[in-house]
Amino acid sequence: MSLPRPNPRFLARTKGMFTSQIRSYAAPGEGTVPPAKKRYVPTSGTYPLGFKVGSAHVGVKASNTRFDDLALIASDTPCAGAAVFTTNKFQAAPVTVSRDMLKKRKGEGVRAVIVNSGCANAVTGRGGIEDAISMGKVTDKCFIEDNNGEDDLKGSRSIVMSTGVIGQRLPIEKITSKISAAYYNLGSTHEHWLGTARAICTTDTFPKLMSKTFTLPSTQVEYHIAGMTKGAGMIHPNMATLLGVICTDAPIAAYALRQALISATSKSFNSISIDGDTSTNDTLAILANGAAGGQPVASTETQDFHAFQEVLTDFASDLAKLVVRDGEGATKFVTIRVTNAATYKDAHRVASTIARSPLVKTALYGKDANWGRILCATGYAEGVDSVIPEETSVSFIPTDGSEELKLLVNGEPEQVDEERAAKILEAEDLEINVRLSENKGYKEEAVFWTCDFSHEYVTINGDYRT
């Protein structure tokens, strides 16, 4: 029995499909920032006093022969520290080690954050724990002279982070042998901060770095806050492979710092989604050394604390948005605003469900105003009581300031202008507004940030490990 001959037209089409999957993104190790992303990379900054940062090349991944992949962020003096971590049950070794360190120290006397990219040190057993401890110990040794040789008997002073491939052991000797190089490369210039932000990247196409100044109600002292983050895939709360480090020279005590970070994370890094996958390594840390002076903020009941909490929430939100803008293969930055919910939790769950829907994300990539997919995701959000189908409304909010495009009003479909819808979806930025009810007592609102799914997302993740 002879097999039928292939259709030449089919072969031509499939050949085009496969050749079109040649990489067109900036893969790790290429160091190229796409032209469209360059506007998100700062050319200057105002950085917190008493902090220095540096990086070094290790070559954790064999393919990386020239770009720094070890980062060190350090305070000149022991400072307050706090962190939030992934809720994934398979928690990476550095997550376990860093959490234990902060708990033992009660967030006090922290000196540094050491980060390697290229390998996550996740699901690596007892050996992985030993490697993470080793990274912390070697980093601590760099600061022995600064501590006058004193040991407060509370263990390590370093937060450890790793990012990259899961299930592989770190080349720990290569890493620890280069920690001293990162230490000697420490500096406080913008170039130091930008280079360090670049060293923690994996599939990111640009380094994510921000800085700003602020004041507190009780003083005219000018304080500084700076932060770097990485992440482009495996991003979804809780926490949203994402790492982040924030530093401030404001005098925030350890307990207050932790409470501010937990609150800020809820409306920033726990309100973003790229692909619906929660990493094993997610860690967001903050250090506060008080180097700018002023009275310590120790109570969570003061005006200064509430002002700092607001500053941190806004700052963390802006940092988190950079992660979404660099979503793997993403072409759109999408704000999902859910209003008129009975509780914030309801609004947040609906927004989160819409944000991780593959059908919504592919429709956005295809510039298709398929609001039925948005409505479908709204309806299957788990544990939500605020959705009233006959009172639900959905609309697109254009970025050019023009009138919203109503798609569904009080459960009734609108006559959609498809031409205008397509034009709105041509833009890089888009806001989707979902109103859950007309109940005047339902006043809660939540905002989520996400991106679309493109062909490149599949390509990037299809060959990530190799």
Side-chain angles (χ1 to χ4, degrees):
M1 178 179 174
S2 61
L3 295 173
R5 297 180 63 184
N7 186 306
R9 293 175 64 184
F10 173 77
L11 288 176
R13 284 201 306 271
T14 53
K15 180 181 179 182
M17 287 170 59
F18 290 117
T19 56
S20 68
Q21 292 198 19
I22 295 173
R23 282 181 171 174
S24 58
Y25 59 91
E30 292 177 2
T32 304
V33 177
K37 303 293 178 69
K38 287 182 178 180
R39 65 183 184 275
Y40 302 120
V41 181
T43 56
S44 62
T46 54
Y47 299 103
L49 305 177
F51 281 99
K52 294 185 177 68
V53 298
S55 60
H57 174 256
V58 176
V60 175
K61 290 187 76 170
S63 58
N64 176 18
T65 59
R66 58 195 179 100
F67 294 103
D68 285 2
D69 51 359
L70 183 68
L72 178 62
I73 300 94
S75 172
D76 290 345
T77 58
C79 61
V84 288
F85 302 96
T86 180
T87 58
N88 193 308
K89 289 182 174 61
F90 288 95
Q91 298 190 345
V95 168
T96 300
V97 169
S98 295
R99 180 189 285 112
D100 290 348
M101 183 276 287
L102 288 169
K103 185 177 181 180
K104 188 174 182 179
R105 288 196 155 275
K106 297 182 179 178
E108 298 173 345
V110 181
R111 286 302 301 271
V113 180
I114 185 73
V115 190
N116 77 270
S117 62
C119 179
N121 191 11
V123 198
T124 46
R126 182 61 202 172
I129 295 290
E130 292 171 355
D131 290 344
I133 292 173
S134 179
M135 283 180 65
K137 282 184 176 180
V138 175
T139 303
D140 293 335
K141 289 179 181 179
C142 295
F143 302 97
I144 288 177
E145 292 183 5
D146 296 345
N147 296 331
N148 297 318
E150 296 178 0
D151 185 351
D152 61 4
L153 304 179
K154 293 181 181 179
S156 177
R157 295 177 181 269
S158 301
I159 295 172
V160 179
M161 300 184 189
S162 298
T163 182
V165 177
I166 295 171
Q168 296 181 3
R169 288 285 298 274
L170 291 173
I172 190 61
E173 291 184 3
K174 288 177 66 176
I175 291 174
T176 53
S177 69
K178 291 298 181 73
I179 289 176
S180 59
Y183 175 76
Y184 288 116
N185 288 336
L186 288 175
S188 57
T189 69
H190 172 69
E191 287 68 30
H192 283 94
W193 280 87
L194 189 61
T196 304
R198 186 178 288 113
I200 68 175
C201 292
T202 51
T203 58
D204 307 62
T205 65
F206 68 93
K208 298 160 188 65
L209 173 69
M210 286 178 50
S211 63
K212 65 179 292 185
T213 60
F214 65 96
T215 58
L216 296 176
S218 69
T219 178
Q220 294 303 307
V221 174
E222 182 179 72
Y223 295 113
H224 309 79
I225 187 168
M228 63 185 73
T229 187
K230 65 81 52 184
M234 200 177 280
I235 305 295
H236 188 73
N238 290 305
M239 270 272 303
T241 299
L242 181 146
L243 301 179
V245 182
I246 298 174
C247 302
T248 181
D249 51 19
I252 315 298
Y255 175 76
L257 189 67
R258 175 165 173 73
Q259 297 310 305
L261 181 64
I262 291 171
S263 176
T265 303
S266 173
K267 295 185 177 181
S268 58
F269 287 95
N270 274 349
S271 290
I272 62 174
S273 182
I274 288 176
D275 47 22
D277 278 319
T278 298
S279 168
T280 55
N281 290 60
D282 301 330
T283 304
L284 174 64
I286 184 168
L287 304 179
N289 65 7
Q295 290 297 315
V297 179
S299 171
T300 58
E301 303 299 323
T302 64
Q303 278 188 306
D304 280 356
F305 172 78
H306 292 299
F308 175 73
Q309 186 178 57
E310 185 175 345
V311 168
L312 181 60
T313 299
D314 290 343
F315 186 80
S317 295
D318 288 340
L319 260 183
K321 290 176 189 177
L322 291 179
V323 174
V324 177
R325 289 196 178 278
D326 200 21
E328 290 173 341
T331 68
K332 295 192 183 306
F333 176 86
V334 185
T335 300
I336 300 172
R337 189 180 305 275
V338 176
T339 64
N340 287 46
T343 64
Y344 174 77
K345 181 180 288 186
D346 274 5
H348 194 267
R349 283 181 174 176
V350 171
S352 172
T353 304
I354 296 169
R356 68 175 182 265
S357 166
L359 292 179
V360 170
K361 295 160 81 70
T362 50
L364 293 172
Y365 173 66
K367 305 177 182 62
D368 180 9
N370 193 338
W371 56 267
R373 295 181 175 182
I374 299 170
L375 202 65
C376 181
T378 300
Y380 68 67
E382 294 183 2
V384 175
D385 298 320
S386 301
V387 179
I388 303 176
E390 59 272 18
E391 296 180 8
T392 300
S393 299
V394 179
S395 61
F396 286 159
I397 310 297
T399 55
D400 60 6
S402 60
E403 187 179 358
E404 69 177 321
L405 177 63
K406 297 179 179 179
L407 306 170
L408 182 80
V409 177
N410 293 332
E412 295 290 335
E414 294 289 287
Q415 188 66 40
V416 179
D417 182 343
E418 294 291 348
E419 186 175 338
R420 182 166 181 246
K423 186 175 181 180
I424 291 172
L425 290 170
E426 285 286 344
E428 179 183 344
D429 287 25
L430 169 71
E431 180 174 323
I432 297 172
N433 193 303
V434 179
R435 186 183 178 96
L436 297 183
S437 78
E438 293 299 321
N439 189 321
K440 293 182 179 179
Y442 287 11
K443 299 179 179 180
E444 294 297 326
E445 173 182 320
V447 178
F448 225 84
W449 297 284
T450 190
C451 57
D452 56 347
F453 267 163
S454 70
H455 300 292
E456 283 195 347
Y457 176 83
V458 178
T459 304
I460 293 168
N461 284 283
D463 63 5
Y464 177 77
R465 195 167 67 96
T466 53

